[in-house]
């Protein structure tokens, strides 16, 4: 528990997103044998991308703490946004344009929303302390 109290925001969000991904995939894994295979795969796709992006952002923040600048953190925000938009567009094109129903974009948006809300709530809680 001491690790979670002292951990950085991006690392906690990456861990939380990974846990939500595993729970979401496990709870919808019965759909793998039906025509709705895109829902559990959407959890894996979105959760994997978001967890990796927040984990990389954690290392950028650590670099900024060593150099006492915010250049890498600002770059991480831009990179995270660009990758998020690009992967969302690719998933939407696969689903609606090319008729490859592998990843559900609504699950992607849901996991992104939950991870962003967790990130904001974590900031608000830690700001009061």
């Amino acid at each position: 528990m001491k690790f979670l109290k002292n951990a950085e925001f991006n690392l906690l969000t990456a861990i939380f997103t990974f846990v939500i991904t595993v729970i979401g995939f496990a709870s919808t894994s019965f759909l793998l044998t039906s025509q709705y295979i895109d829902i559990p795969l959407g959890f894996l796709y979105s959760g994997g991308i978001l967890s990796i992006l927040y984990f990389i952002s954690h290392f950028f923040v650590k670099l900024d703490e060593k150099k006492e600048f915010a250049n890498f953190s600002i770059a991480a925000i831009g990179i995270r946004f660009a990758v998020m938009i690009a992967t969302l567009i690719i998933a939407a094109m696969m689903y609606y344009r090319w008729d490859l129903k592998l990843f559900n974009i609504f699950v992607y948006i849901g996991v992104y929303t939950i991870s962003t809300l967790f990130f904001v709530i974590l900031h608000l809680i830690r700001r009061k302390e």
Side-chain angles (χ1 to χ4, degrees), residues 13-33:
T13 306
I15 293 169
F16 176 76
T17 305
F18 179 74
V19 168
I20 290 298
T21 300
V22 170
I23 291 171
F25 179 75
S27 64
T28 60
S29 63
F30 68 93
L31 294 172
L32 289 171
T33 59

Side-chain angles (χ1 to χ4, degrees), residues 91-100:
M93 293 286 286
M94 286 175 66
Y95 198 84
Y96 293 110
R97 177 99 174 178
W98 302 318
D99 202 31
L100 296 171

Side-chain angles (χ1 to χ4, degrees), residues 3-19 47 49-65 70 72-78 80-81 112 115-116 118-120 122-123 126:
F3 166 74
L4 293 178
K5 276 193 167 192
N6 298 331
E8 197 265 326
F9 300 124
N10 288 312
L11 182 62
L12 285 176
T13 306
I15 293 169
F16 176 76
T17 305
F18 179 74
V19 168
I49 289 172
L50 289 171
S51 295
I52 290 170
L53 287 175
Y54 277 112
F55 195 66
I56 291 171
S57 295
H58 166 70
F59 288 114
F60 282 158
V61 168
K62 290 296 180 187
L63 284 173
D64 282 343
E65 287 176 357
F72 287 116
S73 295
I74 293 170
I77 291 169
R80 185 171 55 218
F81 181 71
Y112 174 71
S115 66
T116 304
F118 179 78
F119 188 76
V120 169
L122 193 61
H123 270 287
R126 291 243 177 124

